[in-house]
Amino acid sequence: MEKFDHCVLLTRVGGFYELYFHQAEEYGPLLSLKVGRKRAGAGTVPMSGFPVYQLERFLKILVQDLDKYVAISEEFPNDVSDRSKSGGLLFNRKVSRIISPGTLIDEKFLDPYENNFLLAVFIEDSVAPVSFRPKGDGIQQSQAVGASEFRDTKDVAVGLSWLDLSTGDFFTQPTYLSLLPSSIERISPREIIFDKDKHNIQANLLKTMLSEERYLTTHHPSPSEPTPASTWESMLETPELNFPESQFTSQELWAGSYLLSYVRIQLQGLELKLQAPVRRLAMENMGIDKSSMRALEIKTTLRENKSKGSLLHAIRRTVTKSGARLLASWLTSDFLLGSPSTSIPIINGRLDLVTHFLGESALRENIVVLLGKTYDSQRLVQKFSMGRGDPDDLIALSRTIMRTKMIAEILQKFQGLSEKSDAESFGPKCITSILEQLVLEGPVELAGQITDAIDEEGVMHKQQLEDARVGELVAISQKTVSVDDPKGDLSAVSKVSLPKSRAKAKEANEIITGDDEDVWIMKRSASTALCHLHESLETLKGDKVDLEARLRHELGAKSLTLRWTPGLGHIIHVKGRDSASSFDAKVLGSSKSTRSLHVPEWSRLGNRIDQAKLRIRGEEQRIFQSLRLTVIYNLSRLRQNAAILDELDITTSFAELAKEQQLVRPILNTGTTHKIIGGRHPMVEDGLRERGRSFITNDCFLTKDKRIWLVTGPNMAGKSTFLRQNALISILAQIGSFVPAEHAEIGIVDQIFTRVGSADELYRDQSTFMVEMLETAAILNQATEKSFVIMDEVGRGTTPEDGIAVSYACLHHLYHSTRCRTLFATHFHTLADMTHEWSGLERYCTDVAEDAKGAFSYIHRLRNGVNRNSHALKVARLAGKPHNSRFQERLVTDFGERASQAYRTA
């Protein structure tokens, strides 16, 4: 416990994992475990524990829910020499693995639809100028500095390296300290490691940012020098790196070495095979900063932080878990090929596939059905690469390989038909690209070996045995809790999957209590040696039947059976009247109706049978290890095929989405146009559809000459929706999806920036207006001519005069300096007058239709012009404000309108 004092230590003791000392007292109640006391040489020791089969349940609570680190101490049998050295101890215990939130491998509570990234951040000890806040503003200089200081550290290079142990994905990326918050937001790591002992300015900024964003951080001392990338090879699936080390920056090498050193400690010698590190550069994909990720609700909703209502939820139609993970990464990450890309060939290649699948509904449906029958092979093969996995996993992998082969055959068939019907079609070209990337030679042979070797019926029987045994343990645990504490909480005993029917339960029970418990997971034909061993066992079993019949005859005991028990070994068992008879054999035990006897002949035969079974199990284990090594040998091919299946899952889902929601294929170019006809907001349209309402479409035409739209109009008339939908359409287009519009022609966007909504960050000493200004400054400093900017009501958090000044300054900079595509919504109608001479700025607005009785409705379709009435009082009326309050509002509004008119006239 002293060595692993940062961990909750779970010690294996027979069929239980136990907690001791202060950890038992602290975590026992949290886990609903009874805390007892055990006598030891040093006195009584607090302890609590749970059965081995409940490990996953309690790991979920400790690691996932409480963000704790758990050290697993396992039992390892001592040989004869070790026993003498240890004073006769049968087992040696040592920590076999440290489990933290970022180092999950195959735990059942691991989210199948999300990557589980572990991120290492490395900042060099160099010092760069940083602007501190002046004294006297209520913040001590020694305190952590806020986000505004990141602007002044853009020259500080940072190395990032992250991996997912459950899939083997491994990445590196160079960045700058000023861009670090957005980079971490896109990666969404479950755990971040950094060296808290560094005390330079940059390290302090990093600590501040990680603390304020509430990331789970782990202190790990940084190495004294970076490990050369060539030494990473022992942890990679490929024997040699397929790229020169010079491609990495020194910061990336430090971060990669730092990350792998931490992983080695966590795994405590466990094998690890990662994919070769993939280096990601921000310029390869569309940049989406942290604020835009949240404001556009790409992964979760802004208000409730839920998946439903997000872009990901609106477009996800994938049928595999790994495909869902990849789609989430495409939308939220800039480190994956397929993320919003800036490469037109990559985007068009993806769009070609979607177009082909949309036109070939039979092909799409057949592939979707087969994909739905595959398993998560990315995580399956990773389990085997780490020395884990079981026969069930091999069966799942075999089935996935065969489904992959069937998909390839279907694609080949359709490819041939397409080539005959239309030689100029792009369909055969994109299908050919998919087929060329699939590698079936090797994996198909592996699938055949698995099918020929593993006995699926035997595996199923083994599962029934385990279910029945767990059921017995649950019953014993419940009985123990009831006896020890009649008012105790039985919730500590987890629910388990018992056999689904009485027949299965009875069948499993017969297997357990019968004379033979032989459940084999390999077919006899799996190897010649295994076949011979089974033949020998059958011969010995025949000898057992003969011996049993002979002993019954010689001893005159019809109830006599030959058995084996853990306590007595090989015995003959008699019951009923036969138990009262006298036998010429040693009596080992007896009761009123049974007697157990020792017969040397049966002991010798029984031992021979036991040895035969052990040899069979040894041969089965050898075959299993051989299959596992074959999986590892085909690791890169299996991973490549899995990646192709994931892309097929996404592109077929995009085709299904396009058919379902009447999406159109976007036209991408290298210019700065943004021409959308009949554009729709995918999430808002989903919400309206659920309520039986339709979405009002809008056009948007941004060109090099008309690059800014100034949008005015009433509250709740759809200005914010219009701004967001155009940004979302650009994102969807650049991940290779069809878009919600009647026509879309889009120039490649290098970065998307948003300034919408309002929220304070009081914990960081940042008011609502300060947050708004920080986001605005980031846009003005970082946007380029190819960026797409949406700004909604900039300057509203201060006085009208100051707000107008801030808004005008932003517009002026975007128009004259940045010259990027911009949608700018505002209630400061004076801006329209101040910019009336700007030829590259168009003015559009929404409106309200009102009848003579005062009833009104919103006109969501934009028209050319300026709407100088925000109709805020109508929104107040809809919200149910008291009548007296509304009367006062009307008086003030009338006065304000007369004053404004006088100002414009003057």
Side-chain angles (χ1 to χ4, degrees):
M1 291 184 70
E2 291 180 0
K3 182 177 180 181
F4 300 97
D5 58 351
H6 64 294
C7 300
V8 179
L9 182 63
L10 299 179
T11 304
R12 177 76 176 265
V13 181
F16 287 82
Y17 283 105
E18 296 184 351
L19 293 156
Y20 298 108
F21 302 107
H22 68 278
Q23 291 189 348
E25 295 177 323
E26 179 180 356
Y27 296 107
L30 289 176
L31 300 175
S32 299
L33 297 175
K34 186 175 181 179
V35 179
R37 295 195 172 270
K38 185 177 185 179
R39 289 187 178 181
T44 58
V45 175
M47 63 164 291
S48 62
F50 54 85
V52 168
Y53 68 83
Q54 289 187 312
L55 177 62
E56 289 269 350
R57 174 180 181 246
F58 290 108
L59 279 179
K60 178 184 182 300
I61 297 173
L62 290 168
V63 178
Q64 189 176 64
D65 299 342
L66 301 178
D67 288 335
K68 299 298 180 182
Y69 306 90
V70 177
I72 306 292
S73 177
E74 294 287 0
E75 292 179 333
F76 297 90
N78 282 328
D79 56 24
V80 177
S81 60
D82 290 333
R83 288 181 191 176
S84 61
K85 294 177 183 178
S86 62
L89 293 177
L90 297 177
F91 297 98
N92 177 36
R93 292 183 178 88
K94 63 180 180 180
V95 171
S96 60
R97 182 184 165 202
I98 301 172
I99 303 174
S100 63
T103 56
L104 302 177
I105 300 174
D106 60 351
E107 284 70 21
K108 293 178 182 178
F109 55 86
L110 188 63
D111 190 342
Y113 302 106
E114 296 282 347
N115 280 107
N116 197 75
F117 285 127
L118 171 69
L119 170 67
V121 181
F122 179 81
I123 302 177
E124 285 186 319
D125 293 329
S126 59
V127 178
V130 180
S131 298
F132 282 89
R133 294 177 178 172
K135 294 182 180 179
D137 65 347
I139 304 295
Q140 297 293 327
Q141 263 191 295
S142 60
Q143 283 184 300
V145 286
S148 59
E149 282 77 18
F150 278 89
R151 299 197 313 271
D152 304 307
T153 57
K154 59 185 178 181
D155 292 329
V156 178
V158 176
L160 300 179
S161 184
W162 64 100
L163 56 78
D164 183 345
L165 283 179
S166 70
T167 62
D169 293 316
F170 183 19
F171 302 95
T172 69
Q173 179 183 343
T175 188
Y176 294 100
L177 193 57
S178 60
L179 303 176
L180 188 59
S182 293
S183 297
I184 295 178
E185 177 77 14
R186 288 193 293 268
I187 295 170
S188 297
R190 188 66 180 84
E191 179 184 355
I192 300 175
I193 58 173
F194 74 105
D195 190 349
K196 70 177 182 182
D197 290 336
K198 290 191 173 184
H199 297 294
N200 57 41
I201 295 173
Q202 293 79 14
N204 289 336
L205 282 172
L206 174 62
K207 296 174 192 176
T208 300
M209 188 272 292
L210 296 178
S211 174
E212 290 176 349
E213 293 294 340
R214 311 294 174 88
Y215 288 113
L216 176 67
T217 58
T218 300
H219 166 62
H220 180 63
S222 56
S224 57
E225 59 182 23
T227 305
S230 57
T231 63
W232 301 353
E233 294 178 10
S234 62
M235 302 180 75
L236 304 178
E237 67 181 12
T238 50
E240 295 180 358
L241 295 174
N242 55 5
F243 44 80
E245 185 174 318
S246 59
Q247 287 188 357
F248 294 99
T249 65
S250 61
Q251 292 81 15
E252 287 176 280
L253 290 175
W254 276 97
S257 302
Y258 188 36
L259 178 69
L260 295 181
S261 68
Y262 176 76
V263 169
R264 287 189 184 98
I265 292 173
Q266 298 299 95
L267 297 184
Q268 294 286 304
L270 191 67
E271 288 184 63
L272 175 64
K273 291 295 179 183
L274 299 170
Q275 299 182 52
V278 178
R279 188 169 189 254
R280 288 304 175 205
L281 300 174
M283 66 185 70
E284 298 172 348
N285 303 99
M286 176 195 290
I288 308 175
D289 67 3
K290 179 179 67 174
S291 300
S292 300
M293 289 279 295
R294 295 174 180 176
L296 295 176
E297 300 182 300
I298 290 177
K299 196 172 180 181
T300 57
T301 57
L302 191 60
R303 183 180 296 273
E304 297 179 341
N305 199 36
K306 292 183 178 179
S307 175
K308 186 175 182 180
S310 68
L311 177 63
L312 178 59
H313 180 270
I315 70 170
R316 188 167 69 190
R317 300 294 185 275
T318 50
V319 296
T320 69
K321 296 172 182 176
S322 52
R325 284 199 306 273
L326 184 62
L327 177 60
S329 296
W330 281 11
L331 283 172
T332 61
S333 306
D334 62 357
F335 53 83
L336 284 177
L337 185 64
S339 305
S341 178
T342 55
S343 168
I344 291 180
I346 290 176
I347 298 170
N348 282 335
R350 203 167 299 280
L351 290 171
D352 287 347
L353 268 176
V354 177
T355 304
H356 189 62
F357 288 134
L358 181 61
E360 298 287 351
S361 58
L363 173 63
R364 182 180 73 250
E365 290 167 4
N366 288 336
I367 290 178
V368 168
V369 169
L370 289 172
L371 285 171
K373 295 180 179 179
T374 62
Y375 296 81
D376 194 343
S377 50
Q378 289 277 17
R379 286 184 169 172
L380 280 176
V381 297
Q382 182 65 5
K383 287 170 69 173
F384 285 105
S385 75
M386 301 186 73
R388 302 163 79 89
D390 54 33
D392 279 333
D393 295 324
L394 281 177
I395 293 171
L397 184 60
S398 171
R399 290 174 179 171
T400 299
I401 293 171
M402 298 314 296
R403 301 290 189 276
T404 305
K405 180 184 177 185
M406 294 170 69
I407 289 172
E409 291 170 351
I410 291 174
L411 290 174
Q412 287 172 344
K413 179 181 177 181
F414 272 84
Q415 180 193 32
L417 294 174
S418 299
E419 288 175 345
K420 291 179 181 179
S421 62
D422 187 359
E424 299 299 321
S425 171
F426 57 74
K429 296 178 183 178
C430 62
I431 295 298
T432 299
S433 176
I434 290 291
L435 290 171
E436 288 175 349
Q437 295 177 71
L438 284 174
V439 184
L440 296 176
E441 184 180 357
V444 171
E445 286 78 0
L446 169 63
Q449 293 174 20
I450 294 172
T451 303
D452 293 340
I454 294 184
D455 184 350
E456 293 190 32
E457 186 176 346
V459 173
M460 182 178 67
H461 280 304
K462 183 180 179 183
Q463 291 173 341
Q464 291 176 353
L465 272 173
E466 291 172 351
D467 287 342
R469 285 168 179 161
V470 168
E472 288 183 351
L473 286 173
V474 169
I476 293 171
S477 299
Q478 290 175 333
K479 183 177 179 180
T480 302
V481 172
S482 299
V483 171
D484 291 349
D485 185 4
K487 298 181 180 180
D489 183 8
L490 295 182
S491 64
V493 182
S494 67
K495 296 179 180 179
V496 294
S497 299
L498 299 176
K500 295 183 178 180
S501 68
R502 291 177 179 268
K504 287 185 178 179
K506 182 179 179 182
E507 178 184 350
N509 193 52
E510 287 173 353
I511 295 173
I512 295 172
T513 59
D515 293 335
D516 296 309
E517 295 183 22
D518 304 334
V519 181
W520 312 114
I521 61 173
M522 297 292 172
K523 296 176 181 178
R524 295 188 179 191
S525 57
S527 73
T528 303
L530 189 60
C531 184
H532 291 326
L533 288 171
H534 274 289
E535 289 175 355
S536 299
L537 180 61
E538 290 299 323
T539 300
L540 291 172
K541 285 184 176 181
D543 293 343
K544 175 188 173 183
V545 171
D546 294 341
L547 177 61
E548 190 174 66
R550 180 165 60 82
L551 289 175
R552 284 177 181 173
H553 176 72
E554 292 178 354
L555 300 177
K558 295 181 179 181
S559 65
L560 182 147
T561 56
L562 302 181
R563 294 188 178 184
W564 179 89
T565 64
L568 301 177
H570 294 93
I571 61 170
I572 63 172
H573 182 266
V574 293
K575 61 183 179 179
R577 295 179 181 177
D578 295 335
S579 63
S581 304
S582 59
F583 301 101
D584 186 16
K586 182 180 178 181
V587 178
L588 299 177
S590 62
S591 66
K592 291 182 180 180
S593 59
T594 64
R595 186 177 293 185
S596 300
L597 307 170
H598 171 73
V599 175
E601 191 174 359
W602 164 231
S603 296
R604 289 191 296 270
L605 177 59
N607 287 330
R608 292 174 61 195
I609 291 174
D610 291 343
Q611 290 299 316
K613 291 179 180 179
L614 286 174
R615 285 193 290 270
I616 290 175
R617 298 199 187 283
E619 178 63 14
E620 283 194 337
Q621 186 62 25
R622 187 196 66 79
I623 296 170
F624 178 80
Q625 290 299 328
S626 175
L627 291 173
R628 175 179 166 271
L629 290 174
T630 309
V631 171
I632 295 173
Y633 177 77
N634 287 279
L635 201 55
S636 59
R637 299 172 184 175
L638 291 168
R639 280 176 168 158
Q640 182 172 329
N641 291 346
I644 298 302
L645 292 185
D646 291 345
E647 290 200 28
L648 283 174
D649 188 18
I650 293 177
T651 50
T652 53
S653 74
F654 282 169
E656 187 65 34
L657 182 70
K659 177 185 176 183
E660 174 189 316
Q661 299 189 1
Q662 290 79 52
L663 310 185
V664 299
R665 175 171 178 156
I667 301 170
L668 282 301
N669 58 58
T670 57
T672 56
T673 58
H674 183 85
K675 298 180 180 179
I676 306 296
I677 298 176
R680 313 190 300 275
H681 190 297
M683 295 96 87
V684 175
E685 185 180 29
D686 269 0
L688 291 172
R689 190 184 296 116
E690 288 180 359
R691 299 192 293 272
R693 298 170 58 190
S694 59
F695 186 91
I696 304 300
T697 64
N698 268 303
D699 304 337
C700 183
F701 301 100
L702 297 175
T703 65
K704 185 176 182 181
D705 297 326
K706 302 289 184 181
R707 55 188 176 276
I708 296 182
W709 274 23
L710 181 66
V711 183
T712 56
N715 297 100
M716 287 189 64
K719 298 190 302 299
S720 296
T721 298
F722 173 73
L723 267 59
R724 286 178 168 97
Q725 76 187 35
N726 282 282
L728 293 172
I729 286 172
S730 294
I731 292 172
L732 288 175
Q734 290 185 218
I735 65 171
S737 170
F738 282 27
V739 298
E742 297 172 14
H743 174 81
E745 184 178 345
I746 301 170
I748 290 295
V749 175
D750 65 351
Q751 299 177 90
I752 280 184
F753 294 99
T754 64
R755 162 79 290 278
V756 297
S758 62
D760 55 40
E761 304 259 2
L762 298 182
Y763 177 79
R764 307 180 197 181
D765 190 45
Q766 295 173 5
S767 67
T768 301
F769 187 68
M770 183 60 179
V771 172
E772 180 182 320
M773 290 300 98
L774 287 172
E775 294 178 0
T776 301
I779 294 172
L780 300 183
N781 286 322
Q782 299 175 24
T784 70
E785 187 176 349
K786 286 187 171 293
S787 299
F788 191 94
V789 173
I790 62 174
M791 303 191 81
D792 191 7
E793 300 183 34
V794 173
R796 67 181 176 181
T798 185
T799 64
E801 294 79 8
D802 287 350
I804 291 171
V806 169
S807 298
Y808 179 78
C810 291
L811 265 178
H812 189 278
H813 186 92
L814 291 169
Y815 184 87
H816 292 284
S817 298
T818 308
R819 305 178 66 82
C820 64
R821 290 159 285 184
T822 303
L823 298 177
F824 197 102
T826 185
H827 287 293
F828 296 138
H829 311 125
T830 308
L831 291 176
D833 303 321
M834 300 171 72
T835 59
H836 72 279
E837 294 182 351
W838 296 3
S839 60
L841 183 144
E842 294 278 345
R843 298 155 191 83
Y844 282 83
C845 65
T846 55
D847 213 337
V848 163
E850 188 171 6
D851 60 21
K853 296 180 180 180
F856 68 94
S857 62
Y858 290 108
I859 300 175
H860 297 290
R861 181 160 283 123
L862 272 70
R863 61 174 175 83
N864 197 284
V866 179
N867 191 330
R868 298 184 183 275
N869 194 338
S870 295
H871 297 279
L873 301 191
K874 292 181 173 62
V875 178
R877 187 169 69 185
L878 287 176
K881 288 195 72 175
H883 176 76
N884 291 339
S885 173
R886 297 204 304 269
F887 176 73
Q888 296 298 325
E889 288 171 346
R890 184 71 259 173
L891 290 177
V892 175
T893 302
D894 289 341
F895 174 78
E897 287 177 352
R898 289 195 297 272
S900 179
Q901 181 64 36
Y903 169 79
R904 288 199 300 271
T905 302

